[in-house]
Amino acid sequence: MIEHSPIAIPPAAADADFATIAPATLSGDAVYFWMTGLIVPRPIAFVTTLGPAGLVNAAPFSFFNGVCSTPPLVSLAISRRGAELKDTLRNVLERRELVINICNAAIAKAISVAAGDFGPELSEIELTGLSLLPSTTIKTPRVANAPAQLECRLDQAVEVGGGKATLVLAEITMIHVHRAIVDERGRVDIDRLDPLARLSGTGYARLGERFNIPRGLV
């Protein structure tokens, strides 16, 4: 028998304590409300892509995360705007490249502005006053104001939800990390990074209290 310290857990709730919600009975907006309210906090991918005429498009997406490190893959879910593809997805499918710019609290306002519904003839970079730097493995530039950037090439684009959204899997081809957020051990200092997280509605968050828990039964 494995001996370990007691695990402190909250008391079990009764079934009657829960509201039970069937997504099939709700509108898409209502389902989005519940998902974005419960799946929190979410990291934000501020994605730059190149349009057909070479205009830089930038848009934030919070249905985003890492997939694996070998190979280094990230996932990004992009829903359609009605029957049309969003500029980001169209550009990714055509050029097969993108940059995921890591967001921190310092560029929160610019991220919110770039989330607006703009046509492909407008560059969110110009609207927000952000600056660009060239990438090294792809043609799409990266956001100079972001604390880190991931250059990526498209690995797969999978239609999901009956074609209402596309799951983009992209391989990281280059990582750029601002020296100011790296500690003396050569690792990312989370306080210096000050990552920005997405909540529901117009809500964003910064990191609050943090704690460590050893793995396994100890």
Side-chain angles (χ1 to χ4, degrees):
M1 177 180 294
I2 300 176
E3 296 184 357
H4 60 88
S5 303
I7 301 174
I9 58 174
D15 188 55
D17 294 326
F18 294 89
T20 300
I21 303 161
T25 66
L26 302 177
S27 67
D29 287 344
V31 174
Y32 179 82
F33 163 81
W34 286 109
M35 289 183 65
T36 57
L38 294 171
I39 305 174
V40 290
R42 300 185 305 281
I44 303 170
F46 190 38
V47 180
T48 46
T49 57
L50 283 177
L55 193 70
V56 179
N57 174 269
F61 297 90
S62 65
F63 283 3
F64 151 70
N65 222 312
V67 176
C68 57
S69 57
T70 309
L73 294 176
V74 293
S75 65
L76 179 69
I78 305 177
S79 60
R80 278 168 169 66
R81 185 183 292 110
E84 297 182 0
L85 299 183
K86 290 184 177 178
D87 296 339
T88 297
L89 180 57
R90 185 189 63 250
N91 296 342
V92 168
L93 294 177
E94 290 182 355
R95 293 186 179 262
R96 302 189 67 81
E97 62 178 48
L98 65 154
V99 177
I100 293 177
N101 302 278
I102 302 300
C103 300
N104 62 2
I107 58 173
K109 180 58 179 179
I111 298 299
S112 180
V113 171
D117 189 7
F118 304 109
E121 72 282 357
L122 293 176
S123 172
E124 291 81 2
I125 296 297
E126 295 179 5
L127 290 172
T128 56
L130 294 169
S131 301
L132 296 172
L133 284 171
S135 292
T136 57
T137 62
I138 59 177
K139 293 182 179 180
T140 302
R142 50 202 172 100
V143 176
N145 314 79
Q149 307 97 15
L150 309 176
E151 297 180 23
C152 301
R153 292 190 187 278
L154 178 64
D155 181 79
Q156 295 183 60
V158 183
E159 287 197 357
V160 295
K164 295 181 180 178
T166 300
L167 178 64
V168 172
L169 298 177
E171 181 171 355
I172 300 170
T173 57
M174 191 63 68
I175 300 172
H176 302 273
V177 183
H178 198 293
R179 298 182 189 280
I181 68 170
V182 179
D183 66 18
E184 295 72 20
R185 300 175 301 166
R187 299 181 179 181
V188 174
D189 184 307
I190 198 68
D191 291 312
R192 299 178 193 176
L193 175 59
D194 195 16
L196 182 68
R198 192 72 171 90
L199 304 178
S200 62
T202 57
Y204 293 83
R206 302 166 81 169
L207 290 182
E209 180 184 0
R210 303 191 301 278
F211 52 90
N212 297 319
I213 300 178
R215 294 184 182 183
L217 298 171
V218 294

